[in-house]
Amino acid sequence: MVSNTLMRIVAPCWKPSVEGDSSNRGGDASGRADGLLWYKDSGNHVNGEFSMAVIQANNLLEDCSQLESGPMSLLETGPQGTFVGIYDGHGGPEAARFVNQHLFENIKTIHGAEFTSETHGMSADVINKAFLATEEAFLSLVQQQWQDKPQIASVGSCCLVGIVCSGHLYIANAGDSRAVLGRLDNKEVKAVQLSYEHNASIESVREELQSLHPDDPHIVVLKHKVWRVKGLIQISRSIGDAYLKRAEFNREPLLAKFRLPESFNKPILKAEPTISEQKLDPEDQFLIFASDGLWEHLNNQEAVDIVNNCPRNMVIISPGKQTEGCCKKTAQSRPS
């Protein structure tokens, strides 16, 4: 059974709007605030309706979430769709904010995006290129700020993206977030996991790291009963975390706790997302996009049951866990 505490966290995402109560927390003046809760009730996008909410636990919010609707490229003949991004930051807010500002724009403008016009749809190649372009741009920012702000080299963000375009759903993930679909099956709504986490606690992820770094016996280390990459971080993919991407950033003046005793010749973490594509069917009822802040408390079916019992046809839940606490974010959307 789902705890009352968790229900108190997610239930406000479906509360009625309160006229006259507005907040620009998160840069959105159309939202409303109630203490540490910020929420935005139903609005429209290309594929239906949405709402979202944030429950902030820390003074510094390290995470961002994003919903964009409309053209998916700059071409007049390009596809229309809906873009959802969940950016779970760690070490600071800079990476998540940077991704929030640049990833979707790179989706629309990246070289090769013109190929989407052939089928009026999206492509995994465009999404992958956009992730890598965002990564390179952030690493360039780290280079620019290295002397004055070396700690930015230890800032990163997990990135979970969903794109609904021309009847197809694309899921791209780099980090330990997860996308789950609620699908109608024999009058029951069942959970279908659409992505997997890039977390060293998963055996297949450790095996991947070991295969990519066969000469490094310490690529994954069991530390305080938790598997970590180089004994430092649990995720194996992210945008940012420059100190584990380029050896030039793994030295002074970076804090000693982030510096490795030996140099490295190739990136330890990856920025490439795993991408899946599928056609949406009438049985597909809703989507849940969430970072580890949700999945630490709920399994797939429990989350689907919560959503299914709420008055929305499509819901996107995106709690984001912070470095020193938890920030809960929720966005819902109803398909047209």
Side-chain angles (χ1 to χ4, degrees):
M1 180 176 291
V2 180
S3 70
N4 291 333
T5 299
L6 190 58
M7 282 305 299
R8 284 198 298 272
I9 290 173
V10 300
C13 306
W14 295 278
K15 68 187 293 184
S17 299
V18 180
E19 293 301 328
D21 181 17
S22 64
S23 169
N24 59 5
R25 186 181 304 177
D28 191 338
S30 62
R32 295 171 173 82
D34 181 4
L36 294 178
L37 167 67
W38 175 93
Y39 65 96
K40 182 176 181 179
D41 206 24
S42 294
N44 294 318
H45 63 83
V46 166
N47 292 285
E49 299 177 353
F50 76 92
S51 65
M52 55 179 54
V54 176
I55 299 177
Q56 184 173 345
N58 292 347
N59 290 330
L60 182 63
L61 183 62
E62 294 181 316
D63 312 326
C64 291
S65 58
Q66 180 178 18
L67 190 146
E68 306 284 351
S69 189
M72 294 290 108
S73 78
L74 296 182
L75 298 174
E76 292 183 2
T77 58
Q80 300 279 317
T82 297
F83 173 99
V84 178
I86 306 301
Y87 315 128
D88 186 4
H90 50 266
E94 293 87 350
R97 292 176 183 175
F98 188 91
V99 175
N100 193 58
Q101 294 168 358
H102 293 89
L103 181 56
F104 178 64
E105 289 305 311
N106 284 335
I107 291 279
K108 294 175 66 174
T109 62
I110 197 70
H111 178 69
E114 61 269 16
F115 295 117
T116 62
S117 63
E118 294 180 6
T119 59
H120 294 276
M122 186 50 60
S123 79
D125 183 55
V126 167
I127 298 171
N128 188 66
K129 287 179 179 178
F131 266 73
L132 296 182
T134 306
E135 162 85 346
E136 287 303 310
F138 186 74
L139 294 185
S140 295
L141 178 66
V142 173
Q143 179 70 64
Q144 295 168 16
Q145 299 187 3
W146 171 248
Q147 292 300 325
D148 298 326
K149 191 180 178 181
Q151 67 270 22
I152 196 174
S154 62
V155 176
S157 180
C158 300
C159 301
L160 175 63
V161 164
I163 299 176
V164 179
C165 188
S166 302
H168 287 254
L169 170 65
Y170 297 80
I171 301 293
N173 186 43
D176 58 2
S177 298
R178 186 190 308 168
V180 172
L181 172 70
R183 176 176 290 162
L184 186 63
D185 184 3
N186 292 325
K187 297 183 180 181
E188 295 183 2
V189 178
K190 297 183 179 180
V192 180
Q193 186 166 328
L194 301 180
S195 66
Y196 70 89
E197 294 90 316
H198 305 116
N199 189 304
S201 65
I202 301 173
E203 184 177 3
S204 61
V205 173
R206 297 197 298 273
E207 291 174 350
E208 179 186 54
L209 286 163
Q210 290 162 349
S211 68
L212 292 172
H213 305 273
D215 299 325
D216 186 350
H218 305 295
I219 187 63
V220 286
V221 177
L222 188 62
K223 188 174 182 180
H224 305 303
K225 299 182 180 181
V226 176
W227 286 103
R228 297 182 183 273
V229 181
K230 300 299 292 182
L232 295 172
I233 192 169
Q234 287 185 266
I235 57 173
S236 64
R237 303 194 190 200
S238 68
I239 288 181
D241 294 306
Y243 74 114
L244 293 175
K245 304 281 184 64
R246 296 181 183 176
E248 63 188 281
F249 299 126
N250 199 284
R251 58 180 177 83
E252 293 183 338
L254 186 67
L255 294 176
K257 66 179 181 178
F258 296 112
R259 299 201 301 266
L260 299 175
E262 70 285 340
S263 185
F264 53 90
N265 297 319
K266 63 180 181 179
I268 295 171
L269 303 186
K270 299 173 65 175
E272 293 93 337
T274 54
I275 302 174
S276 65
E277 175 191 356
Q278 68 180 70
K279 185 177 180 181
L280 289 172
D281 295 322
E283 292 77 17
D284 298 334
Q285 301 297 297
F286 52 81
L287 291 162
I288 303 174
F289 291 84
S291 67
D292 62 333
L294 179 74
W295 304 119
E296 287 179 354
H297 300 282
L298 296 176
N299 62 38
N300 294 345
Q301 190 60 51
E302 288 172 332
V304 163
D305 289 343
I306 290 176
V307 174
N308 189 47
N309 290 325
C310 292
R312 290 290 185 268
N313 288 336
M314 176 180 265
V315 182
I316 302 166
I317 300 183
S318 54
K321 186 174 181 181
Q322 295 181 255
T323 303
E324 299 177 354
C326 207
C327 165
K328 301 297 181 186
K329 304 176 186 173
T330 304
Q332 311 174 64
S333 75
R334 182 197 304 259
S336 55

PDB file of all heavy atoms in Angstrom, residues 6 9 36 54-63 88-89 291-297 318-329:
ATOM      1  N   LEU A   6       3.691   9.719   0.985  1.00  0.00           N
ATOM      2  CA  LEU A   6       3.904   9.846  -0.461  1.00  0.00           C
ATOM      3  C   LEU A   6       2.666  10.386  -1.145  1.00  0.00           C
ATOM      4  O   LEU A   6       2.749  11.194  -2.070  1.00  0.00           O
ATOM      5  CB  LEU A   6       4.300   8.498  -1.051  1.00  0.00           C
ATOM      6  CG  LEU A   6       4.776   8.544  -2.502  1.00  0.00           C
ATOM      7  CD1 LEU A   6       5.966   9.475  -2.628  1.00  0.00           C
ATOM      8  CD2 LEU A   6       5.128   7.170  -2.984  1.00  0.00           C
ATOM      9  N   ILE A   9       2.558  13.965  -1.040  1.00  0.00           N
ATOM     10  CA  ILE A   9       3.489  14.593  -1.981  1.00  0.00           C
ATOM     11  C   ILE A   9       2.872  14.700  -3.365  1.00  0.00           C
ATOM     12  O   ILE A   9       2.946  15.743  -4.001  1.00  0.00           O
ATOM     13  CB  ILE A   9       4.808  13.785  -2.051  1.00  0.00           C
ATOM     14  CG1 ILE A   9       5.577  13.953  -0.728  1.00  0.00           C
ATOM     15  CG2 ILE A   9       5.661  14.239  -3.227  1.00  0.00           C
ATOM     16  CD1 ILE A   9       6.799  13.080  -0.632  1.00  0.00           C
ATOM     17  N   LEU A  36       6.079  25.322   0.473  1.00  0.00           N
ATOM     18  CA  LEU A  36       7.143  24.763  -0.357  1.00  0.00           C
ATOM     19  C   LEU A  36       6.612  24.087  -1.614  1.00  0.00           C
ATOM     20  O   LEU A  36       7.380  23.588  -2.431  1.00  0.00           O
ATOM     21  CB  LEU A  36       7.971  23.750   0.450  1.00  0.00           C
ATOM     22  CG  LEU A  36       8.774  24.337   1.615  1.00  0.00           C
ATOM     23  CD1 LEU A  36       9.499  23.225   2.368  1.00  0.00           C
ATOM     24  CD2 LEU A  36       9.769  25.378   1.119  1.00  0.00           C
ATOM     25  N   VAL A  54       6.037  21.146  -8.017  1.00  0.00           N
ATOM     26  CA  VAL A  54       7.355  21.001  -7.400  1.00  0.00           C
ATOM     27  C   VAL A  54       7.181  21.131  -5.895  1.00  0.00           C
ATOM     28  O   VAL A  54       6.511  22.056  -5.422  1.00  0.00           O
ATOM     29  CB  VAL A  54       8.336  22.091  -7.883  1.00  0.00           C
ATOM     30  CG1 VAL A  54       9.668  21.969  -7.153  1.00  0.00           C
ATOM     31  CG2 VAL A  54       8.556  21.996  -9.385  1.00  0.00           C
ATOM     32  N   ILE A  55       7.748  20.202  -5.142  1.00  0.00           N
ATOM     33  CA  ILE A  55       7.843  20.340  -3.698  1.00  0.00           C
ATOM     34  C   ILE A  55       9.323  20.456  -3.363  1.00  0.00           C
ATOM     35  O   ILE A  55      10.084  19.511  -3.553  1.00  0.00           O
ATOM     36  CB  ILE A  55       7.208  19.151  -2.953  1.00  0.00           C
ATOM     37  CG1 ILE A  55       5.723  19.050  -3.282  1.00  0.00           C
ATOM     38  CG2 ILE A  55       7.400  19.293  -1.446  1.00  0.00           C
ATOM     39  CD1 ILE A  55       5.031  17.869  -2.660  1.00  0.00           C
ATOM     40  N   GLN A  56       9.735  21.609  -2.893  1.00  0.00           N
ATOM     41  CA  GLN A  56      11.148  21.901  -2.673  1.00  0.00           C
ATOM     42  C   GLN A  56      11.540  21.608  -1.241  1.00  0.00           C
ATOM     43  O   GLN A  56      10.898  22.055  -0.293  1.00  0.00           O
ATOM     44  CB  GLN A  56      11.439  23.364  -3.013  1.00  0.00           C
ATOM     45  CG  GLN A  56      12.916  23.716  -2.913  1.00  0.00           C
ATOM     46  CD  GLN A  56      13.202  25.126  -3.413  1.00  0.00           C
ATOM     47  OE1 GLN A  56      12.369  25.719  -4.081  1.00  0.00           O
ATOM     48  NE2 GLN A  56      14.365  25.650  -3.088  1.00  0.00           N
ATOM     49  N   ALA A  57      12.639  20.836  -1.065  1.00  0.00           N
ATOM     50  CA  ALA A  57      13.114  20.487   0.265  1.00  0.00           C
ATOM     51  C   ALA A  57      14.352  21.269   0.661  1.00  0.00           C
ATOM     52  O   ALA A  57      14.651  21.386   1.842  1.00  0.00           O
ATOM     53  CB  ALA A  57      13.406  18.988   0.335  1.00  0.00           C
ATOM     54  N   ASN A  58      15.091  21.789  -0.316  1.00  0.00           N
ATOM     55  CA  ASN A  58      16.340  22.492  -0.040  1.00  0.00           C
ATOM     56  C   ASN A  58      16.233  23.960  -0.396  1.00  0.00           C
ATOM     57  O   ASN A  58      15.365  24.374  -1.169  1.00  0.00           O
ATOM     58  CB  ASN A  58      17.500  21.884  -0.863  1.00  0.00           C
ATOM     59  CG  ASN A  58      17.838  20.483  -0.395  1.00  0.00           C
ATOM     60  OD1 ASN A  58      17.402  20.050   0.658  1.00  0.00           O
ATOM     61  ND2 ASN A  58      18.611  19.777  -1.199  1.00  0.00           N
ATOM     62  N   ASN A  59      17.165  24.737   0.164  1.00  0.00           N
ATOM     63  CA  ASN A  59      17.221  26.149  -0.212  1.00  0.00           C
ATOM     64  C   ASN A  59      17.621  26.308  -1.668  1.00  0.00           C
ATOM     65  O   ASN A  59      17.169  27.227  -2.349  1.00  0.00           O
ATOM     66  CB  ASN A  59      18.214  26.899   0.677  1.00  0.00           C
ATOM     67  CG  ASN A  59      17.714  27.038   2.105  1.00  0.00           C
ATOM     68  OD1 ASN A  59      16.515  27.099   2.330  1.00  0.00           O
ATOM     69  ND2 ASN A  59      18.644  27.072   3.057  1.00  0.00           N
ATOM     70  N   LEU A  60      18.493  25.416  -2.144  1.00  0.00           N
ATOM     71  CA  LEU A  60      18.971  25.480  -3.520  1.00  0.00           C
ATOM     72  C   LEU A  60      18.350  24.357  -4.328  1.00  0.00           C
ATOM     73  O   LEU A  60      18.572  23.177  -4.053  1.00  0.00           O
ATOM     74  CB  LEU A  60      20.503  25.364  -3.559  1.00  0.00           C
ATOM     75  CG  LEU A  60      21.150  25.463  -4.946  1.00  0.00           C
ATOM     76  CD1 LEU A  60      20.894  26.835  -5.552  1.00  0.00           C
ATOM     77  CD2 LEU A  60      22.641  25.185  -4.854  1.00  0.00           C
ATOM     78  N   LEU A  61      17.566  24.718  -5.312  1.00  0.00           N
ATOM     79  CA  LEU A  61      16.928  23.733  -6.180  1.00  0.00           C
ATOM     80  C   LEU A  61      17.893  23.367  -7.299  1.00  0.00           C
ATOM     81  O   LEU A  61      18.264  24.202  -8.119  1.00  0.00           O
ATOM     82  CB  LEU A  61      15.639  24.312  -6.759  1.00  0.00           C
ATOM     83  CG  LEU A  61      14.792  23.392  -7.633  1.00  0.00           C
ATOM     84  CD1 LEU A  61      14.300  22.194  -6.832  1.00  0.00           C
ATOM     85  CD2 LEU A  61      13.616  24.160  -8.211  1.00  0.00           C
ATOM     86  N   GLU A  62      18.323  22.110  -7.333  1.00  0.00           N
ATOM     87  CA  GLU A  62      19.322  21.666  -8.302  1.00  0.00           C
ATOM     88  C   GLU A  62      18.708  21.070  -9.566  1.00  0.00           C
ATOM     89  O   GLU A  62      19.437  20.760 -10.503  1.00  0.00           O
ATOM     90  CB  GLU A  62      20.245  20.620  -7.658  1.00  0.00           C
ATOM     91  CG  GLU A  62      21.105  21.175  -6.537  1.00  0.00           C
ATOM     92  CD  GLU A  62      22.025  20.123  -5.952  1.00  0.00           C
ATOM     93  OE1 GLU A  62      21.555  18.993  -5.724  1.00  0.00           O
ATOM     94  OE2 GLU A  62      23.204  20.429  -5.730  1.00  0.00           O
ATOM     95  N   ASP A  63      17.402  20.882  -9.596  1.00  0.00           N
ATOM     96  CA  ASP A  63      16.748  20.151 -10.671  1.00  0.00           C
ATOM     97  C   ASP A  63      15.886  21.067 -11.532  1.00  0.00           C
ATOM     98  O   ASP A  63      15.469  22.130 -11.083  1.00  0.00           O
ATOM     99  CB  ASP A  63      15.883  19.033 -10.109  1.00  0.00           C
ATOM    100  CG  ASP A  63      16.610  18.194  -9.084  1.00  0.00           C
ATOM    101  OD1 ASP A  63      17.832  18.008  -9.224  1.00  0.00           O
ATOM    102  OD2 ASP A  63      15.962  17.742  -8.134  1.00  0.00           O
ATOM    103  N   ASP A  88      17.724  15.900 -13.461  1.00  0.00           N
ATOM    104  CA  ASP A  88      18.013  15.668 -12.049  1.00  0.00           C
ATOM    105  C   ASP A  88      19.468  16.062 -11.779  1.00  0.00           C
ATOM    106  O   ASP A  88      20.391  15.289 -12.029  1.00  0.00           O
ATOM    107  CB  ASP A  88      17.756  14.192 -11.726  1.00  0.00           C
ATOM    108  CG  ASP A  88      17.898  13.876 -10.256  1.00  0.00           C
ATOM    109  OD1 ASP A  88      18.116  14.802  -9.455  1.00  0.00           O
ATOM    110  OD2 ASP A  88      17.793  12.685  -9.894  1.00  0.00           O
ATOM    111  N   GLY A  89      19.652  17.273 -11.253  1.00  0.00           N
ATOM    112  CA  GLY A  89      20.996  17.790 -11.049  1.00  0.00           C
ATOM    113  C   GLY A  89      21.654  17.265  -9.788  1.00  0.00           C
ATOM    114  O   GLY A  89      21.000  16.866  -8.830  1.00  0.00           O
ATOM    115  N   SER A 291      12.602  10.597 -11.776  1.00  0.00           N
ATOM    116  CA  SER A 291      13.975  10.323 -11.369  1.00  0.00           C
ATOM    117  C   SER A 291      13.963   9.365 -10.191  1.00  0.00           C
ATOM    118  O   SER A 291      12.914   8.897  -9.738  1.00  0.00           O
ATOM    119  CB  SER A 291      14.685  11.632 -11.007  1.00  0.00           C
ATOM    120  OG  SER A 291      14.094  12.187  -9.849  1.00  0.00           O
ATOM    121  N   ASP A 292      15.142   9.076  -9.651  1.00  0.00           N
ATOM    122  CA  ASP A 292      15.245   8.074  -8.595  1.00  0.00           C
ATOM    123  C   ASP A 292      14.513   8.486  -7.325  1.00  0.00           C
ATOM    124  O   ASP A 292      14.219   7.644  -6.476  1.00  0.00           O
ATOM    125  CB  ASP A 292      16.712   7.782  -8.283  1.00  0.00           C
ATOM    126  CG  ASP A 292      17.462   9.009  -7.779  1.00  0.00           C
ATOM    127  OD1 ASP A 292      17.069  10.139  -8.130  1.00  0.00           O
ATOM    128  OD2 ASP A 292      18.450   8.849  -7.047  1.00  0.00           O
ATOM    129  N   GLY A 293      14.187   9.786  -7.190  1.00  0.00           N
ATOM    130  CA  GLY A 293      13.452  10.225  -6.012  1.00  0.00           C
ATOM    131  C   GLY A 293      12.111   9.543  -5.867  1.00  0.00           C
ATOM    132  O   GLY A 293      11.613   9.362  -4.750  1.00  0.00           O
ATOM    133  N   LEU A 294      11.501   9.136  -6.977  1.00  0.00           N
ATOM    134  CA  LEU A 294      10.232   8.407  -6.921  1.00  0.00           C
ATOM    135  C   LEU A 294      10.459   6.913  -6.801  1.00  0.00           C
ATOM    136  O   LEU A 294       9.839   6.238  -5.976  1.00  0.00           O
ATOM    137  CB  LEU A 294       9.389   8.699  -8.163  1.00  0.00           C
ATOM    138  CG  LEU A 294       8.046   7.972  -8.205  1.00  0.00           C
ATOM    139  CD1 LEU A 294       7.060   8.596  -7.227  1.00  0.00           C
ATOM    140  CD2 LEU A 294       7.460   7.969  -9.600  1.00  0.00           C
ATOM    141  N   TRP A 295      11.368   6.381  -7.620  1.00  0.00           N
ATOM    142  CA  TRP A 295      11.511   4.923  -7.709  1.00  0.00           C
ATOM    143  C   TRP A 295      12.154   4.327  -6.466  1.00  0.00           C
ATOM    144  O   TRP A 295      12.109   3.102  -6.285  1.00  0.00           O
ATOM    145  CB  TRP A 295      12.302   4.560  -8.965  1.00  0.00           C
ATOM    146  CG  TRP A 295      11.673   5.132 -10.194  1.00  0.00           C
ATOM    147  CD1 TRP A 295      12.225   6.029 -11.066  1.00  0.00           C
ATOM    148  CD2 TRP A 295      10.351   4.873 -10.690  1.00  0.00           C
ATOM    149  NE1 TRP A 295      11.349   6.347 -12.060  1.00  0.00           N
ATOM    150  CE2 TRP A 295      10.181   5.653 -11.862  1.00  0.00           C
ATOM    151  CE3 TRP A 295       9.291   4.068 -10.263  1.00  0.00           C
ATOM    152  CZ2 TRP A 295       9.005   5.651 -12.599  1.00  0.00           C
ATOM    153  CZ3 TRP A 295       8.119   4.071 -10.995  1.00  0.00           C
ATOM    154  CH2 TRP A 295       7.984   4.843 -12.151  1.00  0.00           C
ATOM    155  N   GLU A 296      12.741   5.152  -5.601  1.00  0.00           N
ATOM    156  CA  GLU A 296      13.226   4.641  -4.323  1.00  0.00           C
ATOM    157  C   GLU A 296      12.069   4.281  -3.393  1.00  0.00           C
ATOM    158  O   GLU A 296      12.242   3.540  -2.432  1.00  0.00           O
ATOM    159  CB  GLU A 296      14.119   5.681  -3.646  1.00  0.00           C
ATOM    160  CG  GLU A 296      15.481   5.835  -4.304  1.00  0.00           C
ATOM    161  CD  GLU A 296      16.329   6.893  -3.635  1.00  0.00           C
ATOM    162  OE1 GLU A 296      15.810   7.578  -2.722  1.00  0.00           O
ATOM    163  OE2 GLU A 296      17.493   7.048  -4.017  1.00  0.00           O
ATOM    164  N   HIS A 297      10.883   4.825  -3.669  1.00  0.00           N
ATOM    165  CA  HIS A 297       9.733   4.630  -2.788  1.00  0.00           C
ATOM    166  C   HIS A 297       8.628   3.785  -3.422  1.00  0.00           C
ATOM    167  O   HIS A 297       7.824   3.193  -2.694  1.00  0.00           O
ATOM    168  CB  HIS A 297       9.155   5.984  -2.377  1.00  0.00           C
ATOM    169  CG  HIS A 297      10.120   6.856  -1.649  1.00  0.00           C
ATOM    170  ND1 HIS A 297      10.433   6.671  -0.320  1.00  0.00           N
ATOM    171  CD2 HIS A 297      10.863   7.915  -2.068  1.00  0.00           C
ATOM    172  CE1 HIS A 297      11.307   7.590   0.061  1.00  0.00           C
ATOM    173  NE2 HIS A 297      11.582   8.348  -0.980  1.00  0.00           N
ATOM    174  N   SER A 318       7.379  13.453 -12.178  1.00  0.00           N
ATOM    175  CA  SER A 318       8.829  13.597 -12.291  1.00  0.00           C
ATOM    176  C   SER A 318       9.469  14.109 -11.011  1.00  0.00           C
ATOM    177  O   SER A 318       9.968  15.216 -10.967  1.00  0.00           O
ATOM    178  CB  SER A 318       9.154  14.560 -13.430  1.00  0.00           C
ATOM    179  OG  SER A 318       8.468  15.776 -13.239  1.00  0.00           O
ATOM    180  N   PRO A 319       9.483  13.321  -9.935  1.00  0.00           N
ATOM    181  CA  PRO A 319      10.207  13.762  -8.757  1.00  0.00           C
ATOM    182  C   PRO A 319      11.704  13.729  -9.027  1.00  0.00           C
ATOM    183  O   PRO A 319      12.212  12.811  -9.655  1.00  0.00           O
ATOM    184  CB  PRO A 319       9.822  12.734  -7.697  1.00  0.00           C
ATOM    185  CG  PRO A 319       8.616  12.054  -8.223  1.00  0.00           C
ATOM    186  CD  PRO A 319       8.777  12.074  -9.707  1.00  0.00           C
ATOM    187  N   GLY A 320      12.420  14.708  -8.534  1.00  0.00           N
ATOM    188  CA  GLY A 320      13.858  14.750  -8.715  1.00  0.00           C
ATOM    189  C   GLY A 320      14.557  14.774  -7.372  1.00  0.00           C
ATOM    190  O   GLY A 320      14.247  15.591  -6.514  1.00  0.00           O
ATOM    191  N   LYS A 321      15.499  13.888  -7.167  1.00  0.00           N
ATOM    192  CA  LYS A 321      16.209  13.823  -5.895  1.00  0.00           C
ATOM    193  C   LYS A 321      17.428  14.718  -5.935  1.00  0.00           C
ATOM    194  O   LYS A 321      18.240  14.659  -6.843  1.00  0.00           O
ATOM    195  CB  LYS A 321      16.634  12.391  -5.594  1.00  0.00           C
ATOM    196  CG  LYS A 321      17.258  12.243  -4.206  1.00  0.00           C
ATOM    197  CD  LYS A 321      17.534  10.811  -3.889  1.00  0.00           C
ATOM    198  CE  LYS A 321      18.121  10.665  -2.503  1.00  0.00           C
ATOM    199  NZ  LYS A 321      18.429   9.273  -2.173  1.00  0.00           N
ATOM    200  N   GLN A 322      17.603  15.531  -4.911  1.00  0.00           N
ATOM    201  CA  GLN A 322      18.723  16.441  -4.856  1.00  0.00           C
ATOM    202  C   GLN A 322      19.876  15.832  -4.076  1.00  0.00           C
ATOM    203  O   GLN A 322      19.751  14.792  -3.435  1.00  0.00           O
ATOM    204  CB  GLN A 322      18.298  17.767  -4.213  1.00  0.00           C
ATOM    205  CG  GLN A 322      17.280  18.518  -5.045  1.00  0.00           C
ATOM    206  CD  GLN A 322      16.916  19.820  -4.396  1.00  0.00           C
ATOM    207  OE1 GLN A 322      15.865  19.946  -3.833  1.00  0.00           O
ATOM    208  NE2 GLN A 322      17.787  20.789  -4.480  1.00  0.00           N
ATOM    209  N   THR A 323      21.026  16.507  -4.095  1.00  0.00           N
ATOM    210  CA  THR A 323      22.202  16.003  -3.418  1.00  0.00           C
ATOM    211  C   THR A 323      21.969  15.908  -1.911  1.00  0.00           C
ATOM    212  O   THR A 323      22.387  14.966  -1.268  1.00  0.00           O
ATOM    213  CB  THR A 323      23.403  16.917  -3.695  1.00  0.00           C
ATOM    214  OG1 THR A 323      23.590  17.010  -5.101  1.00  0.00           O
ATOM    215  CG2 THR A 323      24.666  16.357  -3.080  1.00  0.00           C
ATOM    216  N   GLU A 324      21.289  16.889  -1.336  1.00  0.00           N
ATOM    217  CA  GLU A 324      21.082  16.912   0.103  1.00  0.00           C
ATOM    218  C   GLU A 324      19.594  17.009   0.425  1.00  0.00           C
ATOM    219  O   GLU A 324      19.156  17.839   1.189  1.00  0.00           O
ATOM    220  CB  GLU A 324      21.829  18.089   0.734  1.00  0.00           C
ATOM    221  CG  GLU A 324      23.327  18.026   0.532  1.00  0.00           C
ATOM    222  CD  GLU A 324      24.001  19.230   1.111  1.00  0.00           C
ATOM    223  OE1 GLU A 324      23.300  20.147   1.561  1.00  0.00           O
ATOM    224  OE2 GLU A 324      25.237  19.241   1.119  1.00  0.00           O
ATOM    225  N   GLY A 325      18.800  16.188  -0.184  1.00  0.00           N
ATOM    226  CA  GLY A 325      17.376  16.242   0.090  1.00  0.00           C
ATOM    227  C   GLY A 325      16.594  15.774  -1.110  1.00  0.00           C
ATOM    228  O   GLY A 325      17.119  15.127  -1.992  1.00  0.00           O
ATOM    229  N   CYS A 326      15.360  16.145  -1.141  1.00  0.00           N
ATOM    230  CA  CYS A 326      14.510  15.672  -2.214  1.00  0.00           C
ATOM    231  C   CYS A 326      13.597  16.776  -2.695  1.00  0.00           C
ATOM    232  O   CYS A 326      12.995  17.488  -1.895  1.00  0.00           O
ATOM    233  CB  CYS A 326      13.677  14.494  -1.718  1.00  0.00           C
ATOM    234  SG  CYS A 326      13.208  13.365  -3.007  1.00  0.00           S
ATOM    235  N   CYS A 327      13.550  16.959  -3.971  1.00  0.00           N
ATOM    236  CA  CYS A 327      12.630  17.922  -4.570  1.00  0.00           C
ATOM    237  C   CYS A 327      11.664  17.143  -5.433  1.00  0.00           C
ATOM    238  O   CYS A 327      12.084  16.442  -6.345  1.00  0.00           O
ATOM    239  CB  CYS A 327      13.390  18.923  -5.420  1.00  0.00           C
ATOM    240  SG  CYS A 327      12.330  19.853  -6.498  1.00  0.00           S
ATOM    241  N   LYS A 328      10.402  17.238  -5.158  1.00  0.00           N
ATOM    242  CA  LYS A 328       9.405  16.468  -5.893  1.00  0.00           C
ATOM    243  C   LYS A 328       8.773  17.331  -6.980  1.00  0.00           C
ATOM    244  O   LYS A 328       8.263  18.405  -6.722  1.00  0.00           O
ATOM    245  CB  LYS A 328       8.307  15.978  -4.946  1.00  0.00           C
ATOM    246  CG  LYS A 328       8.835  15.105  -3.815  1.00  0.00           C
ATOM    247  CD  LYS A 328       9.447  13.844  -4.321  1.00  0.00           C
ATOM    248  CE  LYS A 328       9.948  12.981  -3.169  1.00  0.00           C
ATOM    249  NZ  LYS A 328      10.665  11.808  -3.621  1.00  0.00           N
ATOM    250  N   LYS A 329       8.833  16.850  -8.192  1.00  0.00           N
ATOM    251  CA  LYS A 329       8.241  17.564  -9.323  1.00  0.00           C
ATOM    252  C   LYS A 329       7.218  16.664  -9.991  1.00  0.00           C
ATOM    253  O   LYS A 329       7.453  15.484 -10.163  1.00  0.00           O
ATOM    254  CB  LYS A 329       9.310  17.899 -10.364  1.00  0.00           C
ATOM    255  CG  LYS A 329      10.480  18.680  -9.865  1.00  0.00           C
ATOM    256  CD  LYS A 329      11.460  18.826 -10.989  1.00  0.00           C
ATOM    257  CE  LYS A 329      12.722  19.491 -10.499  1.00  0.00           C
ATOM    258  NZ  LYS A 329      13.745  19.494 -11.521  1.00  0.00           N
TER     259      LYS A 329
END
